[in-house]
Amino acid sequence: DAKTTQPNSMESNEEEPVHLPCNHSTISGTDYIHWYRQLPSQGPEYVIHGLTSNVNNRMASLAIAEDRKSSTLILHRATLRDAAVYYCILPPGGGADGLTFGKGTHLIIQP
Amino acid sequence: DTAVSQTPKYLVTQMGNDKSIKCEQNLGHDTMYWYKQDSKKFLKIMFSYNNKELIINETVPNRFSPKSPDKAHLNLHINSLELGDSAVYFCASSPYATSGGAGTKNIQYFGAGTRLSVL
């Protein structure tokens, strides 16, 4: 997998927007950008993915830089339930391969 | 219904024992995986299984063996358990080769995990 770099931790207040950055400067033209999160004592959970255009779903938005070397996961109104470790991943082209998880960003939400 | 379910949730056992962890998915996916999360919280792929064929094995000791009785199940057997095997093990599945575009096929759905403690 292409390498991704994320801040170790971020802190935000409840009901405020959160922007989680990810750098992937060695991304190839066909690499998708995926985000997962892992809530305490649970398995990882898919959040969103994109290739070139910005994406929105019920959980979050994904903003992808024009050169695709970075992306930002946006939680529009963070709740305490969003406290988790967020992982930015570039899955391998083969769909049967496993995902490579880095250290991720530990998101802390203050009430 | 839980999409990917693992049993047991907790497993405490002695060194040298043989144990199994079961995984079932009801999503109709054709690829399943096992991951290990150690005490430092690093998640690492162990195996993936596609159409009853082992696709990858990331330097996992041969004491670990995946067994797939059918497409919906991928069980993890561990022989001669060691202290270092203590970790949380996650099962996952993905719709690789069955549906979706290139980005969708890599989406993986995880179980809640099995916490293995070897004493």
Side-chain angles (χ1 to χ4, degrees):
Chain A
D1 293 353
K3 186 175 174 62
T4 62
T5 306
Q6 300 177 251
N8 287 335
S9 65
M10 290 184 66
E11 201 166 311
S12 182
N13 294 319
E14 200 176 7
E15 299 196 2
E16 289 186 356
V18 179
H19 291 235
L20 296 163
C22 179
N23 288 322
H24 28 79
S25 58
T26 59
I27 192 171
S28 75
T30 56
D31 283 333
Y32 280 80
I33 302 159
H34 283 227
W35 283 81
Y36 285 74
R37 71 179 184 180
Q38 186 173 20
L39 301 170
S41 301
Q42 294 190 30
E45 174 187 30
Y46 165 78
V47 177
I48 199 166
H49 78 279
L51 182 62
T52 55
S53 304
N54 294 343
V55 184
N56 299 301
N57 67 19
R58 63 175 179 81
M59 290 180 71
S61 295
L62 177 60
I64 302 172
E66 196 169 331
D67 63 5
R68 299 206 332 121
K69 293 186 176 182
S70 65
S71 60
T72 302
L73 180 71
I74 302 166
L75 307 178
H76 294 285
R77 285 186 69 199
T79 68
L80 295 177
R81 198 194 169 281
D82 292 318
V85 179
Y86 287 78
Y87 298 97
C88 170
I89 298 171
L90 307 185
D97 294 336
L99 300 175
T100 299
F101 287 83
K103 296 181 181 179
T105 296
H106 184 197
L107 177 63
I108 300 164
I109 305 295
Q110 297 290 354
Chain B
D1 274 350
T2 303
V4 181
S5 58
Q6 302 178 221
T7 54
K9 189 171 176 61
Y10 300 98
L11 182 55
V12 181
T13 187
Q14 301 285 335
M15 275 176 53
N17 284 350
D18 302 336
K19 290 293 179 185
S20 296
I21 305 172
K22 294 185 177 181
C23 178
E24 175 182 5
Q25 54 97 2
N26 63 7
L27 298 167
H29 292 166
D30 64 353
T31 305
M32 296 181 71
Y33 312 81
W34 277 104
Y35 289 80
K36 177 181 180 180
Q37 188 166 40
D38 61 25
S39 58
K40 294 184 179 179
K41 303 295 185 184
F42 289 116
L43 259 165
K44 292 188 177 178
I45 181 70
M46 299 177 71
F47 303 102
S48 74
Y49 236 77
N50 183 297
N51 293 326
K52 295 198 172 184
E53 285 187 58
L54 181 65
I55 302 299
I56 58 173
N57 181 337
E58 295 285 326
T59 65
V60 173
N62 57 15
R63 297 182 296 105
F64 291 78
S65 57
K67 300 259 192 274
S68 180
D70 54 60
K71 199 173 90 164
H73 296 83
L74 183 66
N75 303 324
L76 183 64
H77 295 266
I78 316 169
N79 294 327
S80 303
L81 277 156
E82 301 178 357
L83 293 176
D85 297 332
S86 295
V88 182
Y89 292 84
F90 292 99
C91 176
S93 71
S94 76
Y96 174 67
T98 58
S99 66
T104 305
K105 70 180 182 181
N106 282 315
I107 297 173
Q108 296 190 11
Y109 299 82
F110 287 78
T114 295
R115 182 174 293 278
L116 171 65
S117 298
V118 182
L119 306 178

